[in-house]
Amino acid sequence: LCCFQLYGYCYQDSNDIPDTLTTITELGSPLEMIQLLQTSWEDRFRICLSLVRLLHYLAHSPLGSVTLLDFRPRQFVIVDGELKVTDLDDASVEESSCTSNSDCFMEFPARNFTLPCSVEGRCQSMNEKRNLYNAYRFFFTYLLPHSAPSSLRPLLDKIVNATGNHNKHVICTEYLALELSPSPSANSEFTQKCVKSANTQYRRVPEAFIPEENYRCWPSYHHKGCLLSVFDVNEAIEICDSYSQCKAFVLTNQTTWTGRQLVFFKMASNHIVPDPDKITYVKVTD
């Protein structure tokens, strides 16, 4: 699940190129960090979650703890919203040998670490720690906090700091996989407590849609309008109240991969049309 899937391969001898091996793999999209930062936080969270699964697999693979010596975005692709590693040429299962802790020195551009030397003469968890810190500096530090829901930012800061400090990798994995899940079933009570009550009055118009009156917001699931995901109506009201141009919003029957509902935010409600799959809320003005 974490690595590029191999569908097949063909080995043949060619007069021009001896020992030719052709592989057929699944199709993925190159990882472009600038493009990722322009996507919704939920999509970036999904990528980080798949990266956590990859880290766990590398640490407990059948071959032992595996490190990716060239752990950079160019070694990964996106397949159906999930992060997968494509290049295993620089993978290694060898834990560095040592005679003292000073032999277990890891140097990075912004920070250095010294790990303990075990009685067996191996640097303890060096492969795992190297992967974890590279995931922190190339992925987590950019993708997790950026435009994250305000209710999750304290927990996100805790996780990012913990990964950067090599602190309790297993606990960080559990936080990401369980407590950070923004699905309503896993996090409904926590999310509800963090949604503010709105004083603005809204008129509910069932089976109705506003086809025009779009404005752009960021991040949005629609490039020509403001389409965001919400936990419930209260969160949609909070978002609409935070935009001065927002005068109405439309609940759709579409959801994101986490189960959050997609909502169109509108700058007017002059033209409302029937639509059995949508509910429109119009801001009541004095």
Side-chain angles (χ1 to χ4, degrees), residues 45-194:
F45 169 78
R46 186 179 185 182
I47 290 172
C48 289
L49 202 57
S50 60
L51 179 55
V52 166
R53 288 193 288 268
L54 172 62
L55 291 172
H56 184 268
Y57 177 81
L58 293 175
H60 305 90
S61 82
L63 299 176
S65 181
V66 180
T67 187
L68 301 180
L69 299 176
D70 191 12
F71 198 118
R72 285 182 286 182
R74 68 183 184 185
Q75 305 294 342
F76 300 86
V77 295
I78 303 295
V79 180
D80 296 330
E82 305 258 339
L83 188 75
K84 295 192 176 185
V85 62
T86 62
D87 190 352
L88 296 174
D89 290 346
D90 296 310
S92 174
V93 295
E94 294 294 328
E95 294 277 17
S96 299
S97 59
C98 59
T99 56
S100 66
N101 291 350
S102 60
D103 295 328
C104 302
F105 181 74
M106 288 199 302
E107 185 176 6
F108 295 97
R111 191 165 186 182
N112 301 325
F113 298 92
T114 300
L115 301 178
C117 180
S118 69
V119 293
E120 293 83 11
R122 295 290 178 180
C123 296
Q124 290 185 13
S125 304
M126 178 170 276
N127 287 346
E128 183 179 6
K129 303 287 188 180
R130 182 183 288 112
N131 289 338
L132 182 62
Y133 189 77
N134 280 327
Y136 157 78
R137 70 189 185 107
F138 286 120
F139 293 96
F140 292 148
T141 190
Y142 297 109
L143 299 182
L144 273 180
H146 183 58
S147 70
S150 57
S151 59
L152 293 180
R153 283 174 188 166
L155 188 54
L156 289 170
D157 290 340
K158 179 180 179 181
I159 290 171
V160 172
N161 290 334
T163 53
N165 292 324
H166 286 168
N167 187 12
K168 298 181 180 179
H169 172 231
V170 175
I171 293 179
C172 293
T173 301
E174 290 174 350
Y175 266 131
L176 277 171
L178 300 176
E179 296 204 21
L180 276 185
S181 175
S183 63
S185 60
N187 211 15
S188 59
E189 183 180 358
F190 178 76
T191 306
Q192 284 178 329
K193 288 180 180 178
C194 295

